[in-house]
Amino acid sequence: MSALNRLAGPEIKPISSLDLPQPMRSQLDNGIPVFEINSGAQEVIQLDLIFNAGRWFEKNKGVSTATANLLKEGSAKLTAREIAEKLDFFGASLKPTGGFDRSSLTLYCTTGKLPEILPLLKEILTTPEFPQPEIDLYRKNKLQKLKLNLEKNDFLAQKYFSESLYGEDHPYAYHTAEPDLKALTREAIRDHYRSNFGFDNCSIILSGRYQKGALESVNSYLGSSDWPAKPSKPAATPLAPVKPPERKKIDKKGSLQSALMIGTRICPKDHPDYLPFWVLNTLLGGYFGSRLMSNLREARGFTYGVYSSISAHVNEAYFSIATEVGTAVTKAAIDEIYYELERLEKEKPDKGELDLVKKYMSGQLLTKIDGPFNQAQTLKGLLLHDLDMNHVATMLECIQTVSRDQLQALAAKYLDPSKMTEIVVG
Amino acid sequence: MIAFESFRLDNGLKVIVHEDPSTPMAVLNVLYQVGARDEAPDKTGFAHLFEHLMFEGSRHIPQYDEPLQQAGGENNAFTNNDYTNYYNVVPAQNLETAFWLESDRMLDLAFSESSLDIQKKVVSEEFKENYLNQPYGDIWHYLRELCYTVHPYRWPTIGLNLDHIEKITLADVKAFYTSYYHPANAILAVAGKVSAPQVRELAEKWFGDIPTGPVVNRQLPREPEQLKARSLTVEKEVPVDLIMKAFHMSDRLDDTYYHADMLSDILSGGKSSRLYQALVKDEKLFSEVDAYISGSLNEGLFVIEGKLAEGVSMQQADEAIHREVDQLMERQVGERELEKVKNKIESYWRFSHCNTLSNTIQLAYWEMLGDADMVNREIDRYLQLDSRDLMETANHMFHSRNLSTLYYHAKN
């Protein structure tokens, strides 16, 4: 055996293609589209019920989140406690999510228990009562969480940042405040439910390991057309006009760190710039080896972490850099961030650096399709934008083909420091 | 069932392999049996700072992360009071890159004043971000010092204060590395789209020639039995009052560990649990309440913590918690309630076995405790319990002499 060469390291094999899993597509008797991902070693199931019922579709601030959260707090036949007792007894959990564009209800359970849980799920979905005491309790606890969040610099930075990008009342930006919570009525919640939680506004992802009968069981409970909610969509919220960039400093006494957010609105997800920009974002601040992390953390020790990211809603997307830095270096950290933005604009990235980013990103695509629950998560994100699993191959293609010139041009187009909104809290 | 093979290299490195052909990834995990409990009392936070230094390059490799990113992989690490765990998740075809990287930093880590200086700053920002500049971020600093008088669990992994981290020298770093970072004190677990013969060959190739180090002879002081109730009151800039109660409990492998864990589920596992129903919903004394165990290897803690609803006094909160705890001592948990909690534990257990990374870490963890196969059998220790076991442990644990309470008041 020859001596081990520890200097060179093993040869790295590139990811040239992906073995894309394709979810089985079908529909329930009432037309609800179903995507099945039947794999994995454990007999467990995740059932996602996704509704176009997020903030974008609400008439009052805070109502979409409240509706999602209160769905399981009482039905025609069962009290909140009885529902909780049954779910816990089945070893199941039912997690509501109220989002910007969608709301969802996700059931996690062992496969064997699914048939017993489905009647309960139907009861919850089709006969929610939204009892007043449950609404009161929700409001009270939410208010307390709100108070806590208002003490956190990173929360405040995010709040001012999104308000600055879209305006204080926009569904992608507004911040649920005390008066909004106080104004939340049972009637508004019931109205949001009736206008959004119908079968013709729903899609289902069934993932995990199960026998063929599972889908039939789902169909026999959720496939009927007797759901009371009759979705009637309000007129779409107009897109917020792009505001001139704002720079804001909020002092908070006693802070040891400042929370920073710097960013701007970018093109929506269906724009041809979007995927190449995603590569640019990774290079700048999207992974541990990124320029921002190397500069602010690894070279200077200004922060525990700094990341840039893209948040893509259905109708809009924005780019942001977020970090928390020691108050003694706040100004220096901001300067370094702008320096990195300018550098992207002035010079194209080295070939070696871009190659590294490409290899890293290609490998990370594999984690998106690793196992039934990652696949379900990926699919859920894609469905939001009317995309399917094949889009993962498109992402790989973009990673492989994007050029240094393209990235420099995108930096000039989207990341000019003069276009950035900048929030500093603390 | 997580099937695995295990073997040991001549230098003492334990290796575990779990084949899972359904994933395109491979995980390589190295657990070092060293944590914050092994630190000197005047240099706390060291084990965690050391974890940061493990990414600053080794003899043949200037920087850890970059080659792994070239391989399309991701890596991270965590430190707790008992052990330090490093993991790499890579596309399976590039598994060997992770072997190369992990073995080189076990063979010979590169040390420098400049990387030590930078990482001290980074850790100091981490300390501020998560513990100091965060409402309630320091509750465990207070609680640990209250509960433990001599055991090194009295400080948290991040360290007692920023000065301790500042004091650490390059000589300390080198000595720590020599004592703890060697094959006989480590466990290598590899899983995913890998084969046992392949892993055996790679382990021999990359780790086989690393010299073994001194046997770790750990002599931790035993915490003396607590003889009377303790409490501490602090006042802080937070929005609402918080109460935290902790009882000493058993070591990790004791039967009563499982009793305690299940008692915590009876109290706060899920929305139908006792504390949520009684104290949040019915009496509206708390906005949030939780019971859990610390999960440490030696003498752990059983903790109940809650944020008080507006207008509720600490005394009311205190009494309400005691009422619930007393019930566990006075009355056996009913059959249906016990079955419910067991169902929840079983379901949770199955979900927690769905992920290759967490399976790999679990295998290494149980191997550290003496038997990797406990990953498959531990569930039985829960399912075999009955209500008498629970009541007995409740009576043993929940007496007031064994209790420490932190009253964390909001200013004004």
Side-chain angles (χ1 to χ4, degrees):
Chain A
M1 207 168 95
S2 59
L4 196 52
N5 182 356
R6 286 189 178 269
L7 279 169
E11 184 200 344
I12 287 170
K13 299 170 192 102
I15 312 287
S16 44
S17 64
L18 296 168
D19 192 5
L20 273 187
Q22 290 296 347
M24 281 268 292
R25 227 203 121 141
S26 61
Q27 56 180 45
L28 302 187
D29 291 347
N30 55 10
I32 296 182
V34 180
F35 301 85
E36 282 187 84
I37 301 165
N38 191 350
S39 63
Q42 294 288 336
E43 297 268 323
V44 288
I45 277 183
Q46 175 180 330
L47 177 67
D48 285 292
L49 295 141
I50 306 160
F51 296 88
N52 291 311
R55 280 178 168 209
W56 191 262
F57 302 103
E58 68 189 6
K59 294 171 195 153
N60 310 80
K61 284 185 188 175
V63 75
S64 61
T65 312
T67 307
N69 278 285
L70 288 161
L71 263 179
K72 61 171 178 162
E73 304 301 330
S75 67
K77 289 192 208 130
L78 300 167
T79 63
R81 181 177 193 148
E82 286 164 340
I83 291 173
E85 190 65 44
K86 279 176 183 279
L87 283 170
D88 283 343
F89 190 76
F90 292 133
S93 65
L94 189 59
K95 190 173 159 262
T97 314
F100 289 103
D101 293 293
R102 297 181 308 193
S103 295
S104 59
L105 210 53
T106 305
L107 172 72
Y108 304 88
C109 65
T110 52
T111 302
K113 294 281 197 292
L114 181 71
E116 290 174 87
I117 299 170
L118 283 166
L120 175 63
L121 187 59
K122 175 162 190 190
E123 162 98 14
I124 290 168
L125 267 175
T126 58
T127 68
E129 270 295 303
F130 304 109
Q132 191 61 46
E134 299 295 338
I135 298 174
D136 294 343
L137 183 69
Y138 169 81
R139 270 202 300 228
K140 197 173 146 206
N141 293 339
K142 189 97 179 163
L143 262 175
Q144 215 183 63
K145 280 210 184 84
L146 181 65
K147 272 193 193 163
L148 174 62
N149 284 333
L150 291 173
E151 297 289 319
K152 296 182 182 170
N153 291 356
D154 57 342
F155 177 88
L156 288 170
Q158 172 69 55
K159 161 182 145 68
Y160 292 120
F161 180 77
S162 50
E163 286 176 355
S164 184
L165 286 192
Y166 295 108
E168 284 176 20
D169 295 320
H170 193 272
Y172 290 160
Y174 78 76
H175 161 78
T176 313
E178 192 163 342
D180 305 321
L181 283 170
K182 288 200 165 135
L184 209 58
T185 64
R186 178 165 184 249
E187 202 29 60
I189 292 170
R190 283 164 57 100
D191 180 63
H192 187 76
Y193 166 76
R194 281 193 301 257
S195 324
N196 291 284
F197 284 82
F199 64 83
D200 45 356
N201 195 33
C202 175
S203 16
I204 286 179
I205 303 175
L206 179 62
S207 52
R209 183 185 169 90
Y210 51 86
Q211 303 297 315
K212 204 162 177 283
L215 181 63
E216 283 155 32
S217 303
V218 172
N219 187 46
S220 59
Y221 286 98
L222 303 180
S224 61
S225 302
D226 57 351
W227 298 31
K230 297 282 174 259
S232 57
K233 290 285 156 201
T237 316
L239 283 183
V242 177
K243 298 206 304 180
E246 197 177 2
R247 299 202 169 174
K248 210 175 199 166
K249 167 103 176 69
I250 293 102
D251 278 312
K252 263 196 75 200
K253 277 213 179 95
S255 288
L256 300 173
Q257 286 186 317
S258 310
L260 312 180
M261 271 195 91
I262 292 176
T264 179
R265 283 164 68 169
I266 57 161
C267 58
K269 184 139 184 171
D270 55 6
H271 192 280
D273 284 347
Y274 185 90
L275 283 180
F277 186 87
W278 168 61
V279 178
L280 179 65
N281 171 69
T282 306
L283 182 138
L284 173 66
Y287 76 123
F288 197 84
S290 72
R291 289 187 176 188
L292 288 172
M293 195 69 108
S294 306
N295 180 336
L296 271 72
R297 172 175 151 138
E298 294 301 296
R300 283 169 231 279
F302 284 170
T303 179
Y304 177 47
V306 53
Y307 283 97
S308 70
S309 57
I310 306 172
S311 306
H313 305 311
V314 168
N315 303 291
E316 267 284 345
Y318 68 83
F319 157 84
S320 62
I321 298 167
T323 184
E324 286 170 81
V325 300
T327 44
V329 297
T330 305
K331 166 118 194 357
I334 294 172
D335 289 346
E336 289 304 325
I337 289 172
Y338 287 123
Y339 165 79
E340 292 299 348
L341 292 175
E342 272 167 22
R343 187 152 76 96
L344 284 178
E345 219 180 311
K346 279 196 196 132
E347 44 189 88
K348 34 184 157 179
D350 282 350
K351 187 173 176 309
E353 185 186 13
L354 181 56
D355 276 351
L356 166 62
V357 169
K358 287 181 174 209
K359 286 180 182 159
Y360 169 74
M361 291 182 82
S362 310
Q364 292 305 299
L365 278 187
L366 285 180
T367 61
K368 287 185 174 289
I369 52 172
D370 180 14
F373 303 127
N374 283 325
Q375 287 171 35
Q377 186 61 29
T378 299
L379 182 63
K380 210 170 162 181
L382 293 168
L383 290 177
L384 176 64
H385 300 281
D386 289 325
L387 296 165
D388 59 27
M389 276 294 191
N390 295 325
H391 187 69
V392 180
T394 313
M395 292 161 86
L396 180 63
E397 196 188 317
C398 170
I399 294 169
Q400 287 169 339
T401 56
V402 69
S403 71
R404 298 156 65 206
D405 291 322
Q406 240 180 314
L407 295 188
Q408 189 182 12
L410 283 171
K413 185 169 173 187
Y414 293 102
L415 297 181
D416 191 290
S418 68
K419 289 184 187 153
M420 295 294 136
T421 287
E422 172 193 308
I423 307 290
V424 182
V425 179
Chain B
M1 170 76 184
I2 301 172
F4 65 90
E5 278 183 38
S6 61
F7 54 94
R8 190 191 276 257
L9 302 187
D10 291 343
N11 58 14
L13 181 69
K14 289 179 187 162
V15 186
I16 300 168
V17 191
H18 162 53
E19 298 178 358
D20 176 3
S22 73
T23 163
M25 312 299 285
V27 177
L28 185 147
N29 186 83
V30 180
L31 183 155
Y32 290 95
Q33 302 181 67
V34 59
R37 64 178 171 163
D38 299 304
E39 294 162 348
D42 61 340
K43 286 184 179 168
T44 63
F46 186 13
H48 167 252
L49 173 68
F50 190 90
E51 174 214 308
H52 280 243
L53 298 173
M54 284 284 279
F55 295 90
E56 299 294 303
S58 50
R59 193 204 298 173
H60 306 96
I61 307 167
Q63 204 254 359
Y64 189 89
D65 297 286
E66 193 191 308
L68 198 79
Q69 287 154 358
Q70 294 276 8
E74 186 67 275
N75 67 286
N76 212 334
F78 60 85
T79 308
N80 60 33
N81 292 77
D82 297 315
Y83 62 97
T84 311
N85 189 80
Y86 299 82
Y87 59 86
N88 305 267
V89 184
V90 289
Q93 70 231 57
N94 291 327
L95 171 65
E96 191 165 359
T97 302
F99 268 94
W100 171 55
L101 288 163
E102 279 293 0
S103 63
D104 207 50
R105 66 179 173 182
M106 188 186 289
L107 175 71
D108 197 358
L109 192 64
F111 305 98
S112 79
E113 289 288 354
S114 65
S115 61
L116 177 60
D117 279 352
I118 293 276
Q119 291 308 315
K120 279 183 183 177
K121 286 187 190 162
V122 170
V123 167
S124 148
E125 293 307 320
E126 181 179 1
F127 202 134
K128 292 179 201 162
E129 187 172 322
N130 295 335
Y131 302 88
L132 302 178
N133 210 30
Q134 196 63 249
Y136 311 104
D138 54 4
I139 51 176
W140 273 96
H141 279 84
Y142 288 116
L143 192 75
R144 285 181 179 280
E145 285 226 69
L146 189 62
C147 295
Y148 297 103
T149 56
V150 298
H151 195 283
Y153 284 164
R154 73 191 159 86
W155 56 81
T157 315
I158 192 72
L160 277 173
N161 56 53
L162 291 169
D163 294 343
H164 280 195
I165 291 161
E166 212 30 69
K167 273 201 300 203
I168 290 161
T169 65
L170 206 56
D172 293 330
V173 171
K174 287 180 181 166
F176 195 81
Y177 182 70
T178 309
S179 304
Y180 297 110
Y181 279 74
H182 58 77
N185 197 42
I187 294 156
L188 169 68
V190 183
K193 203 188 196 85
V194 301
S195 78
Q198 171 205 16
V199 170
R200 189 183 283 268
E201 191 192 316
L202 289 171
E204 288 286 0
K205 176 176 171 186
W206 291 103
F207 285 91
D209 64 355
I210 302 178
T212 196
V215 175
V216 175
N217 181 17
R218 183 175 282 112
Q219 290 187 331
L220 299 177
R222 193 94 208 157
E223 182 64 25
E225 192 184 346
Q226 188 174 330
L227 298 173
K228 72 183 225 260
R230 299 174 190 152
S231 72
L232 175 71
T233 301
V234 297
E235 202 181 59
K236 295 273 173 163
E237 293 283 353
V238 289
V240 296
D241 293 352
L242 173 142
I243 188 170
M244 222 173 164
K245 291 188 163 285
F247 299 90
H248 290 279
M249 58 172 274
S250 67
D251 289 351
R252 179 68 179 86
L253 291 173
D254 202 89
D255 277 338
T256 61
Y257 175 93
Y258 297 92
H259 306 168
D261 196 16
M262 203 173 260
L263 285 166
S264 76
D265 285 336
I266 302 254
L267 285 179
S268 82
K271 276 198 158 180
S272 74
S273 64
R274 293 184 179 191
L275 293 183
Y276 185 79
Q277 284 300 328
L279 308 189
V280 177
K281 288 206 82 171
D282 292 351
E283 298 176 47
K284 300 183 176 55
L285 297 171
F286 289 88
S287 64
E288 291 168 37
V289 65
D290 197 8
Y292 53 92
I293 58 174
S294 63
S296 49
L297 297 191
N298 311 134
E299 316 142 58
L301 294 176
F302 185 105
V303 182
I304 301 173
E305 117 178 47
K307 293 204 182 85
L308 277 60
E310 223 170 87
V312 174
S313 72
M314 281 287 190
Q315 196 190 342
Q316 284 172 287
D318 219 1
E319 285 168 7
I321 290 175
H322 280 291
R323 213 173 46 231
E324 293 300 324
V325 166
D326 287 347
Q327 283 211 16
L328 290 171
M329 297 162 73
E330 286 156 14
R331 226 167 305 149
Q332 282 194 6
V333 173
E335 277 309 309
R336 192 179 157 88
E337 192 175 10
L338 187 67
E339 194 183 338
K340 175 179 82 177
V341 171
K342 286 182 177 177
N343 286 344
K344 275 191 88 76
I345 288 173
E346 196 178 351
S347 172
Y348 174 80
W349 184 80
R350 281 204 217 172
F351 271 101
S352 71
H353 281 59
C354 287
N355 175 292
T356 314
L357 174 60
S358 86
N359 287 343
T360 320
I361 296 174
Q362 283 288 310
L363 283 165
Y365 173 81
W366 280 109
E367 185 61 34
M368 165 180 68
L369 287 178
D371 180 6
D373 193 46
M374 274 297 285
V375 77
N376 294 311
R377 289 185 283 112
E378 193 192 23
I379 184 70
D380 299 329
R381 298 188 74 174
Y382 288 100
L383 301 182
Q384 283 159 6
L385 298 186
D386 64 30
S387 298
R388 267 174 318 193
D389 297 327
L390 295 181
M391 196 162 120
E392 201 177 306
T393 297
N395 275 287
H396 183 73
M397 186 168 58
F398 294 139
H399 57 84
S400 60
R401 290 196 314 281
N402 190 31
L403 168 67
S404 302
T405 308
L406 172 65
Y407 299 103
Y408 200 100
H409 286 272
K411 265 186 190 157
N412 359 279

